[in-house]
Amino acid sequence: MNFKKTKRYLFIAVLFLSIFVITSCKPRVYKKAGLLKSIPLHIIIVSRSEPKWDTIFKYVDSQTSLLDHRNILSPLNKLNSTGRAVMPDEIIRIIREALKIAGESGGAFDPTIFPLTKLWDFDHGGKLPEKKGIERAKKLVNYKLLKISDNNTVVLPKGMGLDLGGIAKGAIVDGIADYLNKLGYSQFLIEAGGDILMQGLKLNAKWKIGIKHPRKDNEYVTVVSLGRKDKDKNSAAEARASRISIVTSGDYERYFEKDGVRYNHIINPATGYPAHGAVSVTVISDSCIRADALSTAAFVLGYKKGLEFLKKQAGTSGLIIREENGKLQAEEINNFPAVLDELDL
Ligand code: ADP
Ligand code: MG
């Protein structure tokens, strides 16, 4: 073999190798399913290599355990059994956000709903409590009686308790997004049982999000395209600004039926019974914690009051569906990205 020929072979080999390296480093879409306790969790990341899933899911587990009042090691559990507990900063932040939305919704959203949720027991499928029990528990729900002292001690009067179920999932999803940013990922989607956060785009396209049909399994009332491109990938503020969250609260995921009546897991603190003014509330907002709490709040407020409430929330749009005489009817607020006439109701 002469020298010229060897050089040519070498050149071709280097060329192929560079093409391989370049194409294998192109960003791709990676997906992984897991669990947030018993809730299905899906994470999609645009990355140049397989994401560090083990590290990510370990973080998810630690956050979930911390915010679950059923976990006996959680400070929320301690608060509910003793009436007093010192909380880490991250829980205090979530409680403050919950109290803010409780105030804005006139108590329709109330994180001290625990005595009632315990009674209805949706953790074990749900059961219809006696009227007397509901009246007693109702008196023990009042977010205004929760006190937070300077050293992060949270105090509640005897018999009261905290249930962050209406806001915790959103808070955890926001936390996962922050954690993914820390690991260097800037384009991703996180979905935990109906709570969705997107940052950036899916490669170069918007993300497609289906809004579940409240009465037909595996069908959607519409599919919306969402996504915001970040202008500067290295700026943390810009990364946050390119986030969009969409959350749905519905009466079709956790409920039981008795004597032809549907009882769902979102309770109206004013009556002590499940809220029934809407069947599905979808909220789009800049953070998942806000979208989560606002969708639960609007669900309790019902169709008309829920729409009025969402209208006042800056940077937030919503879609509410109600059921009247077996027929579904929808209304949107603040330019929700769906055409009402084209919904598959
Ligand atoms: P999901 O968690 O099923 O997606 P939501 O975000 O709407 O639905 O939250 C429902 C949960 O919120 C309930 O399981 C309970 O833990 C809690 N909750 C129920 N009623 C209220 C209420 N009026 N205010 C605040 N939280 C509530
Ligand atoms: Mg919620």
Side-chain angles (χ1 to χ4, degrees):
M1 205 189 288
N2 66 30
F3 179 65
K4 240 179 165 176
K5 231 176 178 176
T6 317
K7 228 171 117 183
R8 200 163 73 217
Y9 282 136
L10 203 66
F11 174 74
I12 292 169
V14 169
L15 188 73
F16 271 111
L17 195 70
S18 342
I19 289 171
F20 174 75
V21 169
I22 289 168
T23 52
S24 66
C25 280
K26 255 174 84 175
R28 279 177 45 198
V29 176
Y30 291 89
K31 298 179 188 183
K32 195 86 174 170
L35 283 177
L36 208 148
K37 277 278 175 254
S38 55
I39 300 162
L41 170 72
H42 296 97
I43 302 181
I44 303 175
I45 300 179
V46 177
S47 170
R48 290 181 191 278
S49 58
E50 186 77 34
K52 297 171 186 152
W53 296 117
D54 286 351
T55 317
I56 296 165
F57 281 97
K58 242 184 227 151
Y59 168 82
V60 172
D61 281 345
S62 68
Q63 289 305 100
T64 314
S65 304
L66 183 70
L67 288 171
D68 186 0
H69 61 263
R70 301 161 199 90
N71 168 21
I72 51 165
L73 298 174
S74 149
L76 292 169
N77 191 284
K78 188 173 176 212
L79 174 69
N80 290 357
S81 47
T82 66
R84 168 184 290 265
V86 180
M87 304 276 177
D89 289 344
E90 53 219 285
I91 301 189
I92 295 290
R93 204 178 45 78
I94 298 165
I95 295 175
R96 289 199 196 281
E97 181 75 24
L99 294 177
K100 192 173 146 242
I101 290 171
E104 286 172 10
S105 67
F109 182 89
D110 193 326
T112 67
I113 196 80
F114 180 71
L116 281 167
T117 48
K118 195 172 143 203
L119 205 60
W120 283 93
D121 200 22
F122 279 95
D123 285 342
H124 302 101
K127 61 164 196 278
L128 183 60
E130 279 184 29
K131 227 180 174 153
K132 256 205 242 150
I134 290 178
E135 287 308 313
R136 219 177 300 131
K138 220 173 73 174
K139 291 192 186 106
L140 295 168
V141 176
N142 184 355
Y143 69 96
K144 289 177 186 162
L145 300 182
L146 183 141
K147 297 278 173 276
I148 305 173
S149 67
D150 289 344
N151 66 351
N152 283 8
T153 304
V154 179
V155 182
L156 273 174
K158 202 171 177 304
M160 288 183 66
L162 212 53
D163 175 347
L164 296 178
I167 193 171
K169 238 183 337 171
I172 292 173
V173 169
D174 282 340
I176 300 172
D178 290 342
Y179 191 68
L180 291 181
N181 284 169
K182 259 191 220 153
L183 294 177
Y185 304 114
S186 60
Q187 282 176 275
F188 48 78
L189 178 147
I190 306 156
E191 186 266 332
D195 286 29
I196 300 171
L197 179 151
M198 293 141 270
Q199 185 180 303
L201 297 174
K202 184 180 187 183
L203 290 174
N204 294 314
K206 289 192 174 188
W207 307 88
K208 292 215 177 333
I209 311 293
I211 297 172
K212 278 190 182 171
H213 195 292
R215 293 293 177 261
K216 293 181 193 160
D217 281 349
N218 306 319
E219 287 190 29
Y220 299 111
V221 292
T222 188
V223 175
V224 295
S225 296
L226 295 171
R228 231 180 253 150
K229 196 176 175 178
D230 55 349
K231 293 186 201 88
D232 175 6
K233 278 205 163 33
N234 297 316
S235 142
E238 189 55 48
R240 275 226 176 81
S242 71
R243 287 183 194 169
I244 301 176
S245 290
I246 177 164
V247 173
T248 300
S249 284
D251 72 351
Y252 51 91
E253 298 279 5
R254 291 171 72 193
Y255 70 95
F256 66 87
E257 270 176 352
K258 199 162 189 278
D259 304 327
V261 181
R262 179 188 288 246
Y263 297 94
N264 76 84
H265 70 310
I266 303 174
I267 312 293
N268 183 349
T271 62
Y273 283 82
H276 53 70
V279 296
S280 155
V281 177
T282 302
V283 171
I284 298 179
S285 198
D286 50 0
S287 74
C288 206
I289 188 171
R290 235 173 103 70
D292 192 357
L294 292 178
S295 67
T296 308
F299 189 95
V300 175
L301 288 167
Y303 197 70
K304 283 230 159 66
K305 283 189 182 156
L307 284 164
E308 278 165 30
F309 169 73
L310 290 179
K311 203 176 186 174
K312 287 186 225 144
Q313 303 294 331
T316 296
S317 64
L319 175 76
I320 306 194
I321 305 174
R322 72 170 162 187
E323 192 174 33
E324 288 265 293
N325 306 321
K327 272 200 151 178
L328 296 181
Q329 192 189 345
E331 194 64 63
E332 61 88 20
I333 210 79
N334 300 347
N335 297 320
F336 189 87
V339 181
L340 284 180
D341 291 345
E342 292 171 8
L343 296 181
D344 287 317
L345 290 174

